[in-house]
Structures are given as structure tokens and as C-alpha cells.
Amino acid sequence: MAEQSTADQVRRSAHERSPEELAGQFRQLAEENLPARLGFSARLNMLWDLAGVVPPQTEGRVLAVLGINSEWRESEVRKWLQKDVLPPPLDLRNMVSFLLAQMDEVQDVSRWEAFLVYGSPVVSSPVNASMYRQDQARREIASLIFAQLTDEYGIPPSAYDADKAFQRCLTLMHKFNIYELQDFQPGHLEPFRNYMFPVE
């Protein structure tokens, strides 16, 4: 009963205020710009990683994203991927729809949009176990290819940046449609070596 009485008092006090008072409160609370969505870029890059359609961030991701939609500007894409700046709503929707279309399982576009913007715990992560398993399987295959190349060509660890080479391997696996180890054929050795371990 006491709680109901308090709620009634709040409602009455709001109704009793003049339009000018309400307008003043609105102006006081209004923000000129949306606050930065901390972690947005990290979540967006994770979705690009899961979709596997562009290179890693260190291997020209921004330019690859621009190649998908020439109407986007480089400065905008860099802010989306690096500065926690949100794309316009329609761009975000189209981007998420495109990336989710690359995945094996049907995904909820609206849930992914909300997760990218607000993150956890406001919106629980839509990344499910099967998506993790799929990504883990790709990485295990990449590790085997990596080991085969370094052994085949006698490439010492001091001759390369392991993280960059590994990311390049994942990128090339996608380009050559290598999803199982048996997909990696002898003819792939040379192009993989040249791409993963370029002479600098």
C-alpha cells in the first residue's frame, strides 16, 4: 500500500509541473552527442573475424571493408573499426545482415545489432558454442598448415612474426576455401609460403 502511495505521488508531481518546467528538465537532460559506445569496435571486429570475409586488422581490413561497399568512406570505416564510433543505423543493419549471411547458422540480426552497440551484460553475447567450435577448428587447421610450411621450407622462427603469419594463413584459407585439412593440397604450398612469409 505504501509503495502504491509513493508511485501515485510521483505521477501527481509530474502532472502538476508546468510545460515550461518539463521543457526545462528535458533541455537539462538532453545530450548534444551520443556517448561513445566503449567496446563497440572490438565487438564489430569480432563479428568480421567470425564472418571471415576480410583480412585481419593488421593486414588491411579497412581497405577490404571499403571494397565491399564503395559508398563508405575510409575515415568513417576507421572510426567504426578503431574508435568505437557507431555507423548510421541503416549502415549498421546492412553490415550486420551481410556478415551474418556468411555464417552457417541462422542468426538474429536485431540481437547482434543490440549486442554490438551495448555489449554485455546489457545484451548477452549471441556468439554460441558452435560458432566458437567452428573458429577453433579453423585455427587448428591453420596451425597444422603453419607447421607443415615451416618444416617443408626450413623457415626458422627468427625469420617471421608468428602472429602475423598465422593471421595471413587464416586469410588465405578463406580465399582458397580450405575448411578441412584435406582441402590443403601440395599446390597450395608455394602461394601460402609467399603470402605468409614474404621476403621483406
Side-chain angles (χ1 to χ4, degrees), residues 118-174:
Y118 297 105
S120 178
V122 177
V123 180
S124 61
S125 173
V127 180
N128 57 37
S130 64
M131 293 169 70
Y132 275 125
R133 286 196 298 270
Q134 183 180 13
D135 187 59
Q136 181 61 31
R138 287 175 59 246
R139 291 179 176 276
E140 290 176 358
I141 295 170
S143 296
L144 294 172
I145 292 174
F146 195 119
Q148 183 177 345
L149 285 167
T150 53
D151 181 63
E152 179 78 18
Y153 294 102
I155 304 172
S158 59
Y160 56 84
D161 181 314
D163 184 59
K164 283 186 177 181
F166 189 76
Q167 292 298 328
R168 288 171 179 166
C169 184
L170 289 170
T171 299
L172 214 54
M173 283 173 58
H174 177 75

Side-chain angles (χ1 to χ4, degrees), residues 162-195:
D163 184 59
K164 283 186 177 181
F166 189 76
Q167 292 298 328
R168 288 171 179 166
C169 184
L170 289 170
T171 299
L172 214 54
M173 283 173 58
H174 177 75
K175 290 182 178 179
F176 281 96
N177 296 316
I178 296 173
Y179 300 106
E180 298 180 6
L181 187 58
Q182 64 190 28
D183 296 331
F184 187 75
Q185 300 296 317
H188 290 131
L189 284 169
E190 196 67 22
F192 267 74
R193 184 191 69 163
N194 293 336
Y195 186 67

Side-chain angles (χ1 to χ4, degrees), residues 50-78:
L50 290 170
V53 292
V54 294
Q57 297 180 61
T58 57
E59 297 291 327
R61 169 162 294 180
V62 171
L63 295 180
V65 171
L66 288 171
I68 291 174
N69 185 355
S70 60
E71 294 184 2
W72 291 333
R73 293 186 299 182
E74 182 176 348
S75 59
E76 294 174 334
V77 173
R78 288 192 183 280

